[in-house]
Structures are given as C-alpha cells and as structure tokens.
C-alpha cells in the first residue's frame, strides 16, 4: 500500500508524462504546477502546507524521476 506522499509523486509523474512536462514548480509547500509550453498548469493543491519531510521526499523522488523542481517560498 502506498503512502500519501508516494501517491502524490505518482500522480505528478503521471501528469508530467501526459503533458510532456519536464519541470514542476512547488509554491508555498502546497501548490504544484507543471510548466507546460512556458505556462504553469496546476496539478495538485492541498488545504494545508506539507510537512518539510513530506516535501523533501516528494522533491527528491521527482528529481530522481528526471523532473526539474523549483521550490518557491510563501508568497502571501
């Protein structure tokens, strides 16, 4: 059985493949955007911020699977 963060990784990888995207931007530890044709496409959003350990796991797995990852801080 997969954990929550493993499911997030798999969903993002599925969307990246579907949209042929190679970069993801993570904003405020809760919003995930694929960069598609130079535009940001929201592929995941959470009601609360991810824990640092969850975010670190997701970032590492996405990088391990060939995506460029940009993490941006709190934009409020």
């Amino acid at each position: 059985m997969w954990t929550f963060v493993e499911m997030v990784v798999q969903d993002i990888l599925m969307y990246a493949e579907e949209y042929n995207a190679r970069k993801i931007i993570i904003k405020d530890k809760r919003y995930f955007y694929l960069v598609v044709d130079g535009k940001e496409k929201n592929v995941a959003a959470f009601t609360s911020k991810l824990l640092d350990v969850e975010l670190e796991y997701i970032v590492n797995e996405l990088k391990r699977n060939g995506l460029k990852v940009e993490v941006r801080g709190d934009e409020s």
Side-chain angles (χ1 to χ4, degrees):
M1 178 173 251
W2 286 1
T3 65
F4 164 74
V5 291
E6 289 170 323
M7 288 188 289
V8 170
V9 168
Q10 291 306 312
D11 285 350
I12 292 170
L13 291 173
M14 178 187 66
Y15 284 121
E17 184 176 334
E18 180 178 335
Y19 293 107
N20 199 24
R22 300 309 317 149
K23 181 177 180 180
I24 187 158
I25 298 171
I26 303 169
K27 296 181 182 178
D28 196 23
K29 295 184 182 180
R30 70 168 99 185
Y31 305 108
F32 291 74
Y33 299 88
L34 287 175
V35 177
V36 180
D37 297 328
K39 297 178 183 171
E40 296 177 9
K41 179 172 185 59
N42 186 299
V43 291
F46 303 99
T47 56
S48 61
K49 293 181 179 185
L50 295 169
L51 299 174
D52 288 342
V53 67
E54 294 170 326
L55 184 61
E56 181 180 359
Y57 176 84
I58 292 169
V59 168
N60 288 337
E61 285 299 300
L62 294 175
K63 285 180 177 179
R64 190 175 70 75
N65 281 278
L67 287 177
K68 292 180 183 176
V69 180
E70 179 181 334
V71 179
R72 297 183 185 168
D74 189 347
E75 296 186 357
S76 58

